[in-house]
C-alpha cells in the first residue's frame, strides 16, 4: 500500500493557489525556470552548539573515558571534548542532580544521550551527591542532614538511610560526623566533632586515616580518625603569622580543598579562596600547596568549581595528581601540575567567543577553500606563549564522520573586536586613541559604555575585504595582508550626514532664492589624512566633531586584517550623528556604502573620497510616493535602528541605547522620528526634476571638492508625513506602509543595501553595475554606477553615480535583496580576487595585481540581450520577485499577524529559496521565483532581543543564532542534513580498559592492616535494609529505556509500539513455553524408555525372585 503523505497534498493546494495568484501579466517569465525544491527537501532540527556553557554550576570527570561534563544553572549538560553530575560505575552513563530535587541517569552509549531513569524527591531538598569509583551505590545528601542510598543500576532507593540524630542540636558554625556502618537498617555515630568555624568542604587521605577540612575563617584543619578530639594541624595558607604567637588574622572562606598524595614526595593541597581581607580588588585565585612551596594562580573570572586529575582513578591508592581542571564563570582552564610554574594546557577547542560581549553574528557556508588556511596562518601568531608541552588531558570520545565538503566560517562582532570563530581575532579599538583621563574619554552622547561596540559586519570572502560599523557612527574598512606593516597616518574621512530642517519651503541659500521645489544646505565632504580638530560655534554648540578620536601616532599592524580607511559621522549643530543601520562593501567596485535614519553615503575607499551624501528624501527626487508635511521642532535624540525596534516594549532610555544584546538590558533599535534630516552635498541651482549625477575628481589624501556635474535633481524639502492610521509599538503590531502617506513620527531609514550587476533601468538592454537601496518604509531604489576602467585609470578618473528611476514598493521595512539569472541561480556581487597589498619587494607583481580586472560573476556580458534577471526583495511583511528589465512582478504575503526579523536568499541543493525567521517564532521557506511556501515550522518564540539581532541563514540549509551570551546554536532546515545527522555526530563512549585495582599487599592482608572493605551489596540490599518508603521519592522511567518508550507512546503510534512490545513479550513467553514442552517430552520419553527396560528385565521373573 502506498504511503500517504499529507505534505504532498498541501503542496498541491499551495501550487493551485500560487498558480492562481500568478495569473497576472508578466508571470510567464517566471514559469520558464523549473523549480526543483519541494517540501520534502525541508526539515528543521538542531545540529550543534558552540561556545562556553552559560552560567556553569558544576562539573565531573570520568577518569577512564576522559570525558568532562559541565552542568549549568538552566539545567543543561555539556559534554567535552566533543553538563551537579558524576560518572557512574556502568561505563557510558552519567548521573545529574537538579535544583528541583530530581536525579537523572543518562545513557552515553548512544550518540544522542538520553535519560534512562529519574528519581524525584518529594519531602527533602537535595544538597549534594557522591558516587565512588566503580560503585553502584549513589549517596544523596539532603538539607535535613539525611543521606539516602540509590542503586544506580535499577535507580531505586535503598531502605538503608543515614538519619540525622535528633539528639544533636544544629549549630551555626558547622559540625562533622563520622558514621559507622553495621548490618542494620541504620548507621550509628562513631565520632561527632563541632569545630570552631563553619566547614565548607572536606577531603580524605587515600589511606582513610586522616581528612582535611576547609573553614570560613580561611583555615585548613587536618584531623585524625583515631583521635578526633582536636585537629592534628591547623594551617592558614594566606594569613599573616604574628610574631607574638597570637592567632593569625582571619581570611576569606576557603570554599573547597582537595588532598592528593604522591609516592615520591609531599602531598598536594589545592584550594580556592582563603585570601586575606586586605587584598582588595585582587582577582580570584587558586592556591597549590606542595611541600614548603605555595603557588597562587590568579584567574580572569570567579571560580565555580575545580577538580584534580590523577593517574589512578582509585581513591585508596596514591593519586599522583598531574593536572587541575578549573571551571570559571566564563572559561575553562586546565593547569599542569607536573611542570615548574604550573603552566596551563592549550585548549584545542577554544570556547571563548564571548571574550567581549557579542553584538552581531554572520554565518558563511561554502566559503573559498583557501580562506580558512589563510586565517589560521595569521591567527596562529596571535596565540599566547608559555603553554604546557603536554597534550590536552580531556581527550575522550571520537569525532563523527562529517558529510559536509564545504568550509564554514562564523564571524562574531563584539564590543571592541571581531572574531572569525577560533581562527583569528581583530581588535578594532586599536584604531582609536586611548583615553588617559576623564576629559579624553570618548563622547557618551551617542554611546553610554561601549563606544567601540560593533553593530554591523560586511565581509567579502573572495577578496577578503572586511568592513565593520560601530555604535559611535564609525565605519572601518580592512584589507587582508600576510605581512606586517606600520601605518604612519590612519586614513580618515569625516561625513556630515545630517541636515537642518526649517518650516520654510524655500529658504535662502547663499543669498539666492531657489525654486520652490527644493532646498539644500551647503555641505562639502572633506577627506582627512589625520584626525580633524574639534570645532564648536561661538555659543558652545558642537559641530564637525566625531564621537571617537582616531589615533595620530604610527599604528603597527600585524599580519591579518589591516586598516585601509576610517569613516566617521560628525556632529552637526549640536546634534550627534545617528547610528548606522545598513552597510555593504564591494571589492570589484572599490566602494563602501552605509546608511542610517538620516540618509545614504557612498565612499570610494580606493580614492579615499565620498561619492554620494544624500538624505533619504532626496533619493526620491520628484518620485516621492509619500505625502510629507513640515516636521515639528527637534526633540530629544533617540537611538536609531532598522526594523527591530518594534520588538522592544515601551520607550527606551538613553542609558540603554548602546547596550549589547547580550547584556541584561534591551538593545533598543527604535527609529528616531523627531530628529533633523542630514545635510546634503552642495549643488548648483536645479535644472530639471528627473535625474541627477555626481562626479568626483581627485586622488589620494589630497582634500577633494565635490561639485555637481549636470545636476538634474529636484531636492524635495524636508517634510513630515500624514499617517494613514494610528500605530502602536506593540510586539505583534502591523508594520504596513501606505502608498500615499507614511507615519508622522517615522523616519525613513536605510535598512538594506546590495551591489549587483543587473538591469537597473526598465527596458535596459545591458546589465550594468548598480546599487539597490531599501528603506524602512518598504521602498527599493536603484542607483546606477559608472566605473572607470581598472588599473591606474580607476584611481584617477571619476566614479559617476546616477539615478535609474526604478522604484519598488512593499509592505514593511526592506530586509534583504538578491538577484537571480535566467536559470534561477543566485548572482553574487562581483568581486576581485585577493592579492597581497603590501608586496613592496615585487613591484611588478603589485602592479599586475592593481591592473587585474575584477571578477564579474554576472553572466549578462556574454549572453544575449534578451536574457532575464530576477530581483528578489523581502520585507517584514511581503516577498516580491521582479523580472528584469521588464519589471513584471510576483508578490507574496509572508505574514499578517507578525513580521519577519531576518530573511536571506540561500542556495539549497540544486535550487534557491527565501528563508525567513518571524517574530512569532516561525521559520519559513519560499520557492523562487514563484514564492511557493515550502516550509512553515513554529520553532522558537522570540523571547530575547539577542536572538533577533543574531539570527542568520546561510547556504546548504544552515542557520544559527546566539542562544545565550556565550553560546551559538546551529540548526539546519535541510532534509538531507537531518537524515545524515546521526552519522555526523561523534561518539562519547569508547571501549577502554579500566585500570587495575591497587594490590592490597601481603602483610596488610595477613595482619589486617588498612581499611577493611564492607559488602555494600549485603548492607544496602533488601535483605538487610528492606524497602524504601514510596512517598520519599518517585521513580520516573526516562525516554532512553523501554519503560520510557512505553510511557511516552500515545495515540496510534503508541498503540502500535505497545502492540509490538506485547508481541515481543508474547513471542518470548511462547518460546519459553515451547522449551518447557520440549523438556517435558524429553523427560516423558526417557521415563518411558526406562519403564520399558524395567519391564523386559522383570518379565520372566517369579514373584519370589524379587
Amino acid at each position: 500500500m502506498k504511503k500517504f503523505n499529507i505534505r504532498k497534498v498541501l503542496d498541491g493546494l499551495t501550487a493551485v493557489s500560487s498558480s492562481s495568484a500568478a495569473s497576472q501579466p508578466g508571470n510567464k517569465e517566471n514559469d520558464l525556470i523549473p523549480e526543483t525544491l519541494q517540501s520534502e527537501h525541508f526539515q528543521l532540527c538542531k545540529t550543534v552548539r558552540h561556545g562556553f556553557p552559560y552560567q556553569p554550576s558544576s562539573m565531573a570527570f570520568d577518569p577512564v573515558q576522559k570525558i568532562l561534563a559541565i552542568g549549568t544553572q538552566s539545567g543543561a549538560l555539556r559534554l567535552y571534548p566533543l553538563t551537579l553530575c558524576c560518572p557512574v560505575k556502568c561505563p557510558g552513563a552519567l548521573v545529574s542532580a537538579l535544583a528541583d530535587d530530581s536525579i537523572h541517569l543518562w545513557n552515553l552509549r548512544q550518540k544522542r544521550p538520553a535519560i534512562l531513569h529519574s528519581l524525584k524527591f518529594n519531602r527533602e531538598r537535595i544538597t549534594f551527591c557522591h558516587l565512588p569509583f566503580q560503585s553502584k551505590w549513589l549517596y544523596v545528601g539532603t538539607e535535613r542532614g539525611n543521606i539516602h542510598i540509590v542503586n544506580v543500576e535499577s535507580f531505586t532507593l535503598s531502605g538503608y538511610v543515614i538519619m540525622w540524630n535528633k539528639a544533636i542540636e544544629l549549630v551555626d558554625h558547622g559540625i562533622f560526623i563520622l558514621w559507622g556502618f553495621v548490618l542494620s537498617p541504620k548507621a550509628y555515630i562513631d565520632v561527632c566533632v563541632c569545630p570552631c568555624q563553619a566547614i565548607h568542604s572536606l577531603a580524605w587521605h587515600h589511606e582513610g586515616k586522616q581528612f582535611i577540612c576547609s573553614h570560613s575563617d580561611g583555615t585548613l584543619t587536618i584531623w585524625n580518625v583515631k583521635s578526633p578530639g582536636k585537629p592534628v594541624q591547623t594551617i592558614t595558607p594566606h594569613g599573616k603569622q604574628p610574631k607574638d604567637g597570637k592567632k593569625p588574622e582571619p581570611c576569606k572562606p576557603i570554599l573547597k580543598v582537595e588532598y592528593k598524595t604522591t609516592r615520591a614526595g609531599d602531598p598536594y593541597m589545592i584550594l580556592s579562596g582563603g585570601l586575606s581581607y586586605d587584598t582588595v580588588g585582587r582577582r580570584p585565585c587558586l592556591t597549590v600547596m606542595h611541600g614548603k612551596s605555595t603557588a597562587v594562580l590568579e584567574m580572569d573570572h570567579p571560580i565555580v568549581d575545580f577538580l584534580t586529575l590523577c593517574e589512578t582513578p582509585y581513591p585508596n591508592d596514591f593519586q599522583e595528581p598531574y593536572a587541575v581542571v578549573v571551571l570559571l564563570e566564563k572559561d575553562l582552564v586546565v593547569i599542569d601540575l607536573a611542570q615548574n610554574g604550573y603552566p596551563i594546557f592549550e585548549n584545542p577547542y577554544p570556547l571563548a567567543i564571548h571574550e567581549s560581549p557579542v553584538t552581531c553574528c554572520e554565518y558563511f557556508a561554502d566559503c573559498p577553500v583557501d580562506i580558512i588556511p589563510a586565517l589560521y596562518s595569521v591567527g596562529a601568531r596571535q596565540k599566547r606563549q608559555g603553554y604546557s608541552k603536554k597534550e590536552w588531558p580531556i581527550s575522550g570520545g571520537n569525532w563523527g564522520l562529517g558529510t559536509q565538503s564545504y568550509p564554514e566560517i562564523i564571524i562574531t562582532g563584539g564590543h571592541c573586536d571581531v572574531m572569525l570563530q577560533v581562527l583569528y581575532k581583530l581588535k578594532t579599538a586599536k584604531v582609536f586613541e586611548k583615553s588617559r583621563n576623564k576629559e579624553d574619554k570618548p563622547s557618551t552622547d551617542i554611546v553610554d559604555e561601549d563606544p567601540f561596540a560593533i553593530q554591523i559586519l560586511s565581509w567579502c570572502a573572495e577578496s577578503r575585504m572586511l568592513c565593520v560599523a560601530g555604535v559611535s557612527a564609525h565605519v572601518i574598512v580592512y584589507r587582508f595582508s600576510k605581512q606586517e606593516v606600520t601605518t604612519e597616518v590612519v586614513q580618515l574621512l569625516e561625513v556630515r550626514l545630517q541636515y537642518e530642517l526649517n518650516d520654510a519651503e524655500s529658504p535662502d541659500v547663499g543669498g539666492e532664492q531657489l525654486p520652490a521645489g527644493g532646498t539644500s544646505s551647503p555641505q562639502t565632504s572633506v577627506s582627512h589624512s589625520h584626525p580633524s580638530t574639534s570645532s564648536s560655534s561661538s555659543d558652545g554648540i558642537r559641530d564637525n566633531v566625531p564621537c571617537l578620536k582616531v589615533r595620530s601616532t604610527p599604528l603597527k599592524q600585524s599580519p591579518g586584517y589591516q586598516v585601509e580607511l576610517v569613516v566617521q559621522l560628525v556632529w552637526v549643530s549640536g546634534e550627534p550623528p545617528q547610528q548606522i543601520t545598513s552597510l555593504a562593501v564591494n571589492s570589484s567596485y572599490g566602494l563602501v556604502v552605509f546608511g542610517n535614519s538620516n540618509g545614504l553615503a557612498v565612499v570610494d575607499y580606493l580614492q579615499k573620497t565620498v561619492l554620494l551624501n544624500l538624505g533619504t528624501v532626496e533619493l526620491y527626487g520628484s518620485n516621492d510616493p509619500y505625502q510629507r508635511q513640515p516636521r515639528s521642532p527637534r526633540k530629544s535624540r533617540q537611538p536609531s535602528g532598522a526594523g527591530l525596534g518594534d520588538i522592544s516594549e515601551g520607550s527606551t532610555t538613553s542609558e540603554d541605547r548602546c547596550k549589547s544584546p547580550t547584556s541584561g538590558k534591551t538593545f533598543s533599535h527604535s527609529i528616531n522620528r523627531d530628529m533633523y534630516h542630514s545635510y546634503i552635498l552642495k549643488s548648483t541651482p536645479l535644472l530639471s526634476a528627473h535625474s541627477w549625477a555626481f562626479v568626483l575628481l581627485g586622488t589620494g589624501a589630497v582634500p577633494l571638492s565635490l561639485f555637481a556635474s549636470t545636476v538634474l535633481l529636484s531636492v524635495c524639502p524636508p517634510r513630515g508625513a500624514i499617517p494613514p492610521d494610528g500605530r502602536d509599538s506593540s510586539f505583534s503590531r502591523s508594520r504596513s506602509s501606505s502608498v500615499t502617506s507614511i507615519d508622522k513620527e517615522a523616519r525613513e531609514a536605510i535598512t538594506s543595501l546590495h551591489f549587483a550587476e543587473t538591469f537597473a533601468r526598465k527596458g535596459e538592454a545591458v546589465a550594468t553595475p548598480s546599487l539597490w537601496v531599501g528603506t524602512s518604509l518598504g521602498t527599493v531604489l536603484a542607483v546606477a554606477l559608472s566605473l572607470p576602467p581598472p588599473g591606474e585609470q580607476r584611481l584617477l578618473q571619476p566614479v559617476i553615480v546616477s539615478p535609474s528611476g526604478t522604484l519598488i514598493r512593499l509592505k514593511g521595512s526592506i530586509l534583504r535583496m538578491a538577484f537571480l539569472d535566467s536559470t534561477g541561480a543566485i548572482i553574487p556581487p562581483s568581486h576581485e580576487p585577493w592579492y597581497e597589498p603590501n608586496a613592496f619587494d615585487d613591484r611588478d607583481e603589485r602592479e599586475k595585481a592593481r591592473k587585474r580586472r575584477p571578477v564579474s560573476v554576472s553572466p549578462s556580458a556574454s549572453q544575449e540581450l534578451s536574457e532575464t534577471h530576477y530581483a528578489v526583495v523581502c520585507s517584514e511583511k511581503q516577498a516580491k520577485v521582479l523580472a528584469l528589465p521588464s519589471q513584471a512582478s510576483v508578490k507574496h504575503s509572508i505574514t499578517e499577524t507578525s513580521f519577519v526579523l531576518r530573511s536571506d536568499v540561500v542556495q539549497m541543493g540544486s535550487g534557491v529559496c527565501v528563508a525567513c525567521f518571524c517574530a512569532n517564532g516561525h521559520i519559513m521557506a519560499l520557492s523562487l521565483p514563484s514564492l511557493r511556501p515550502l516550509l512553515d515550522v513554529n520553532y522558537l518564540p522570540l523571547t530575547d532581543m539577542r536572538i533577533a539581532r543574531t539570527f542568520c541563514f546561510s547556504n546548504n540549509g544552515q542557520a544559527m543564532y546566539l542562544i545565550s551570551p556565550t553560546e551559538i546554536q546551529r540548526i539546519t532546515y535541510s532534509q538531507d542534513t537531518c537524515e545524515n545527522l546521526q552519522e555526523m555526530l561523534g561518539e562519547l563512549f569508547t571501549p577502554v580498559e579500566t585500570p587495575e585495582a591497587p594490590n592490597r599487599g601481603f602483610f596488610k592482608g595477613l595482619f589486617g592492616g588498612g581499611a577493611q572493605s564492607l559488602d555494600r551489596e549485603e548492607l544496602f540490599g533488601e535483605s538487610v535494609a528492606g524497602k524504601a518508603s514510596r512517598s520519599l521519592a518517585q521513580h520516573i522511567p526516562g525516554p532512553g529505556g523501554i519503560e520510557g518508550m512505553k510511557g511516552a507512546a500515545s495515540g496510534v503510534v503508541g498503540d502500535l509500539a505497545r502492540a509490538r512490545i506485547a508481541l515481543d513479550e508474547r513471542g518470548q513467553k511462547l518460546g519459553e513455553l515451547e522449551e518447557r514442552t520440549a523438556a517435558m517430552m524429553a523427560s516423558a520419553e526417557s521415563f518411558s524408555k526406562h519403564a520399558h527396560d524395567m519391564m523386559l528385565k522383570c518379565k520372566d521373573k517369579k514373584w519370589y525372585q524379587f
Side-chain angles (χ1 to χ4, degrees):
M1 181 177 179
K2 188 177 181 180
K3 185 178 179 181
F4 175 73
N5 194 337
I6 187 64
R7 288 191 295 181
K8 292 185 177 180
V9 177
L10 295 177
D11 282 344
L13 295 176
T14 54
V16 173
S17 61
S18 62
S19 62
S20 61
S23 61
Q24 47 184 318
N27 287 312
K28 293 182 179 180
E29 296 173 337
N30 299 336
D31 297 336
L32 299 178
I33 300 178
E35 296 182 0
T36 59
L37 294 180
Q38 301 296 330
S39 59
E40 290 84 0
H41 299 146
F42 292 85
Q43 183 180 348
L44 195 66
C45 66
K46 296 181 180 180
T47 55
V48 68
R49 184 175 296 186
H50 302 285
F52 186 77
Y54 183 54
Q55 295 179 340
S57 57
S58 61
M59 69 174 174
F61 182 72
D62 189 334
V64 178
Q65 292 290 326
K66 304 294 183 181
I67 294 176
L68 181 71
I70 298 178
T72 67
Q73 296 182 16
S74 61
L77 283 172
R78 296 287 298 276
L79 299 171
Y80 297 95
L82 289 176
T83 278
L84 184 70
C85 44
C86 45
V88 302
K89 175 184 177 181
C90 305
L94 181 75
V95 174
S96 62
L98 276 65
D100 63 347
D101 307 316
S102 61
I103 304 175
H104 302 291
L105 176 65
W106 296 79
N107 179 20
L108 304 183
R109 289 177 174 263
Q110 53 196 42
K111 291 189 175 182
R112 287 187 177 272
I115 297 178
L116 294 176
H117 303 279
S118 299
L119 272 180
K120 181 68 170 66
F121 282 74
N122 300 322
R123 296 182 298 182
E124 299 185 48
R125 300 295 306 275
I126 299 176
T127 57
F128 194 78
C129 290
H130 174 65
L131 183 64
F133 180 71
Q134 282 197 330
S135 173
K136 73 173 185 178
W137 301 102
L138 173 69
Y139 300 87
V140 181
T142 66
E143 64 177 359
R144 295 185 181 180
N146 302 328
I147 301 176
H148 301 278
I149 314 298
V150 177
N151 188 333
V152 294
E153 293 181 350
S154 61
F155 225 65
T156 55
L157 273 175
S158 170
Y160 198 99
V161 183
I162 303 177
M163 301 293 292
W164 184 259
N165 195 330
K166 303 296 184 181
I168 300 177
E169 296 181 0
L170 289 175
V171 291
D172 295 334
H173 54 260
I175 186 173
F176 68 81
I177 298 175
L178 298 181
W179 297 86
F181 288 138
V182 294
L183 294 179
S184 65
K186 293 184 180 181
Y188 69 93
I189 297 177
D190 188 9
V191 178
C192 179
V193 179
C194 295
C196 58
Q197 294 294 331
I199 301 174
H200 285 276
S201 67
L202 184 147
W204 281 94
H205 190 276
H206 79 276
E207 293 180 348
K209 297 178 181 180
Q210 287 184 342
F211 59 92
I212 186 171
C213 297
S214 66
H215 301 278
S216 59
D217 61 347
T219 60
L220 298 173
T221 55
I222 301 177
W223 303 79
N224 197 322
V225 174
K226 294 185 177 180
S227 56
K230 62 178 182 179
V232 177
Q233 187 180 4
T234 301
I235 306 173
T236 307
H238 300 285
K240 296 180 180 179
Q241 300 293 337
K243 297 181 180 180
D244 53 1
K246 295 182 179 180
K247 293 183 179 180
E249 296 180 0
C251 298
K252 297 179 182 179
I254 298 178
L255 302 179
K256 184 178 181 181
V257 62
E258 289 200 354
Y259 195 22
K260 303 299 180 182
T261 57
T262 60
R263 296 181 185 273
D266 297 322
Y268 282 86
M269 287 185 287
I270 306 170
L271 54 103
S272 62
L275 296 177
S276 177
Y277 280 103
D278 59 1
T279 57
V280 180
R282 191 170 182 177
R283 293 186 296 180
C285 297
L286 183 78
T287 303
V288 180
M289 302 175 64
H290 183 216
K292 296 182 180 180
S293 66
T294 301
V296 180
L297 309 177
E298 292 188 349
M299 302 294 164
D300 295 332
H301 308 285
I303 298 175
V304 177
D305 193 7
F306 73 90
L307 53 85
T308 308
L309 307 185
C310 303
E311 296 291 346
T312 176
Y314 296 95
N316 59 344
D317 192 11
F318 289 97
Q319 282 90 24
E320 301 292 342
Y322 64 89
V324 179
V325 181
V326 186
L327 178 63
L328 308 178
E329 283 189 358
K330 296 183 178 181
D331 201 0
L332 181 71
V333 178
V334 182
I335 303 170
D336 188 358
L337 295 178
Q339 294 187 22
N340 295 330
Y342 302 128
I344 65 174
F345 288 88
E346 182 180 4
N347 192 343
Y349 321 104
L351 308 173
I353 63 172
H354 58 282
E355 184 172 343
S356 62
V358 179
T359 55
C360 60
C361 293
E362 292 294 338
Y363 185 15
F364 299 91
D366 200 6
C367 298
V369 294
D370 60 341
I371 185 64
I372 290 182
L375 292 173
Y376 182 81
S377 62
V378 297
R381 306 179 187 181
Q382 297 178 337
K383 295 182 179 179
R384 55 178 294 183
Q385 304 297 324
Y387 286 110
S388 173
K389 298 180 180 179
K390 296 183 180 179
E391 295 183 357
W392 181 252
I394 308 171
S395 56
N398 291 326
W399 292 104
L401 299 176
T403 60
Q404 298 178 175
S405 58
Y406 53 86
E408 298 174 306
I409 287 182
I410 298 175
I411 303 180
T412 63
H415 276 216
C416 62
D417 55 49
V418 177
M419 182 180 295
L420 284 78
Q421 217 180 47
V422 299
L423 299 177
Y424 177 76
K425 181 179 178 181
L426 174 66
K427 287 185 176 292
T428 61
K430 294 181 178 180
V431 181
F432 303 99
E433 293 283 359
K434 294 183 180 179
S435 58
R436 299 180 180 178
N437 49 50
K438 295 182 179 180
E439 289 76 12
D440 294 338
K441 285 187 177 181
S443 173
T444 57
D445 295 283
I446 183 173
V447 294
D448 192 19
E449 295 180 357
D450 307 305
F452 309 113
I454 297 169
Q455 280 187 309
I456 308 174
L457 297 168
S458 180
W459 186 52
C460 179
E462 288 77 10
S463 64
R464 305 178 188 176
M465 291 293 299
L466 175 65
C467 193
V468 299
V471 296
S472 297
H474 64 275
V475 175
I476 309 177
V477 182
Y478 290 93
R479 279 188 183 272
F480 186 84
S481 175
K482 295 183 178 181
Q483 298 184 9
E484 180 179 313
V485 296
T486 299
T487 304
E488 296 296 332
V489 179
V490 177
Q491 298 293 323
L492 171 65
L493 277 177
E494 292 183 352
V495 180
R496 193 177 172 96
L497 193 58
Q498 195 167 2
Y499 58 79
E500 293 291 346
L501 181 63
N502 300 320
D503 291 336
E505 288 290 334
S506 54
D508 294 335
V509 178
E512 297 181 3
Q513 183 74 19
L514 292 180
T519 179
S520 65
S521 299
Q523 171 63 36
T524 301
S525 297
V526 182
S527 174
H528 298 275
S529 60
H530 56 82
S532 63
T533 58
S534 301
S535 63
S536 60
S537 60
S538 59
D539 55 355
I541 298 178
R542 303 182 66 179
D543 191 48
N544 288 335
V545 181
C547 296
L548 299 176
K549 186 178 180 180
V550 177
R551 63 183 299 168
S552 57
T553 58
L555 176 62
K556 184 179 180 180
Q557 304 192 73
S558 302
Y561 278 96
Q562 301 171 354
V563 178
E564 174 80 6
L565 177 66
V566 178
V567 184
Q568 287 185 293
L569 299 183
V570 298
W571 287 62
V572 179
S573 301
E575 277 293 309
Q578 290 285 306
Q579 295 179 10
I580 296 171
T581 58
S582 56
L583 176 69
V585 61
N586 188 281
S587 60
S588 176
Y589 306 154
L591 301 179
V592 170
V593 57
F594 59 91
N596 59 11
S597 59
N598 285 332
L600 177 72
V602 181
V603 176
D604 185 345
Y605 65 80
L606 296 179
Q607 299 186 16
K608 309 295 188 295
T609 52
V610 178
L611 296 179
L612 183 66
N613 183 4
L614 284 180
T616 310
V617 177
E618 281 71 28
L619 291 173
Y620 289 97
S622 61
N623 298 325
D624 192 353
Y626 306 108
Q627 296 180 2
R628 306 175 192 262
Q629 290 183 345
R631 300 179 57 82
S632 59
R634 72 178 68 174
K635 296 181 181 179
S636 59
R637 185 183 181 280
Q638 298 176 3
S640 62
L644 299 179
D646 302 292
I647 303 173
S648 304
E649 297 182 359
S651 61
T652 304
T653 63
S654 60
E655 298 177 355
D656 302 338
R657 57 190 170 192
C658 292
K659 291 292 184 181
S660 163
T662 61
S663 63
K665 298 182 181 180
T666 305
F667 197 173
S668 173
H669 289 269
S670 59
I671 299 174
N672 181 12
R673 299 172 171 87
D674 295 298
M675 298 172 51
Y676 293 111
H677 287 274
S678 65
Y679 279 95
I680 62 172
L681 295 175
K682 180 179 180 180
S683 63
T684 58
L686 301 177
L687 304 178
S688 178
H690 300 287
S691 62
W692 46 265
F694 284 105
V695 179
L696 178 64
L697 295 180
T699 60
V702 182
L704 302 174
S705 59
L706 272 68
F707 64 95
S709 174
T710 316
V711 178
L712 306 176
L713 169 64
S714 174
V715 183
C716 298
R719 293 166 290 177
I722 303 175
D725 51 7
R727 296 184 183 180
D728 57 8
S729 58
S730 61
F731 187 82
S732 60
R733 69 175 179 87
S734 173
R735 298 170 57 87
S736 63
S737 59
S738 172
V739 177
T740 59
S741 59
I742 59 175
D743 192 340
K744 182 178 180 180
E745 297 298 325
R747 297 222 40 179
E748 190 171 11
I750 306 298
T751 58
S752 181
L753 297 166
H754 189 83
F755 287 100
E757 188 169 345
T758 185
F759 307 97
R761 295 179 175 88
K762 186 174 183 179
E764 195 172 26
V766 179
T768 57
S770 59
L771 170 65
W772 295 69
V773 182
T775 71
S776 59
L777 296 183
T779 303
V780 176
L781 301 167
V783 179
L785 304 174
S786 179
L787 301 172
E792 292 293 338
Q793 297 183 14
R794 172 64 181 85
L795 301 178
L796 297 175
Q797 295 185 12
V799 177
I800 301 176
V801 182
S802 60
S804 65
T806 300
L807 189 145
I808 307 169
R809 303 208 65 255
L810 278 79
K811 186 178 180 182
S813 177
I814 302 299
L815 299 179
R816 191 67 55 189
M817 294 175 287
F819 293 86
L820 310 179
D821 60 15
S822 59
T823 63
I826 298 178
I827 304 177
S830 58
H831 61 272
E832 67 173 4
W834 177 81
Y835 64 92
E836 176 57 56
N838 299 321
F840 298 104
D841 297 336
D842 193 350
R843 296 184 178 180
D844 296 338
E845 182 66 23
R846 191 179 183 189
E847 190 69 20
K848 185 187 298 184
R850 179 179 294 179
K851 294 181 179 180
R852 190 177 302 163
R853 179 171 293 275
V855 177
S856 177
V857 295
S858 174
S860 59
S862 60
Q863 295 185 357
E864 298 180 358
L865 299 180
S866 61
E867 182 188 349
T868 301
H869 287 184
Y870 297 91
V872 183
V873 183
C874 186
S875 71
E876 293 175 326
K877 291 289 186 179
Q878 296 175 333
K880 196 171 188 178
V881 177
L882 288 89
L884 301 178
S886 65
Q887 297 189 5
S889 64
V890 175
K891 187 186 296 184
H892 175 79
S893 177
I894 299 177
T895 177
E896 294 293 341
T897 58
S898 183
F899 57 93
V900 180
L901 293 171
R902 177 71 183 233
S903 66
D904 289 284
V905 179
V906 294
Q907 186 74 33
M908 183 76 174
S910 59
V912 180
C913 66
V914 179
C916 303
F917 174 58
C918 300
N920 58 6
H922 284 247
I923 293 180
M924 307 173 65
L926 306 175
S927 67
L928 288 175
S930 66
L931 297 176
R932 176 170 46 90
L934 298 174
L935 176 70
D936 189 355
V937 178
N938 187 3
Y939 170 69
L940 180 69
L942 183 63
T943 57
D944 196 340
M945 189 65 186
R946 180 188 308 109
I947 301 175
R949 285 288 297 168
T950 58
F951 199 103
C952 53
F953 297 93
S954 188
N955 294 329
N956 302 310
Q958 306 295 324
M960 54 153 282
Y961 58 92
L962 205 66
I963 194 172
S964 72
T966 62
E967 297 170 292
I968 292 177
Q969 178 66 56
R970 286 176 55 184
I971 62 176
T972 181
Y973 48 94
S974 169
Q975 173 68 26
D976 294 338
T977 305
C978 292
E979 292 179 351
N980 299 326
L981 185 60
Q982 191 69 18
E983 299 179 2
M984 297 166 61
L985 294 176
E987 295 181 356
L988 289 169
F989 174 78
T990 55
V992 179
E993 293 185 2
T994 304
E996 295 183 0
N999 295 325
R1000 191 181 178 195
F1002 173 76
F1003 291 101
K1004 284 188 177 181
L1006 180 63
F1007 298 104
Q1012 300 292 330
S1013 60
L1014 183 67
D1015 188 358
R1016 288 174 173 78
E1017 183 71 30
E1018 181 181 1
L1019 179 64
F1020 300 146
E1022 292 187 5
S1023 59
V1024 175
K1027 294 184 178 181
S1029 174
R1030 294 184 178 180
S1031 60
L1032 180 61
Q1034 178 185 2
H1035 179 267
I1036 304 172
I1042 298 296
E1043 297 84 356
M1045 185 178 63
K1046 292 181 180 179
S1050 60
V1052 177
V1053 178
D1055 294 339
L1056 291 175
R1058 284 189 289 271
R1060 181 176 296 177
I1061 295 173
L1063 286 174
D1064 293 340
E1065 294 177 351
R1066 183 172 179 269
Q1068 184 178 0
K1069 292 180 180 179
L1070 289 176
E1072 294 176 355
L1073 181 60
E1074 184 178 357
E1075 292 177 358
R1076 292 178 183 177
T1077 304
M1080 292 177 63
M1081 291 179 62
S1083 178
E1085 184 178 356
S1086 177
F1087 178 78
S1088 175
K1089 182 179 179 181
H1090 285 294
H1092 182 70
D1093 293 341
M1094 183 63 68
M1095 185 268 295
L1096 294 177
K1097 184 178 180 180
C1098 302
K1099 179 178 181 182
D1100 298 330
K1101 290 185 179 181
K1102 303 297 182 181
W1103 63 270
Y1104 53 84
Q1105 292 178 333
F1106 287 101

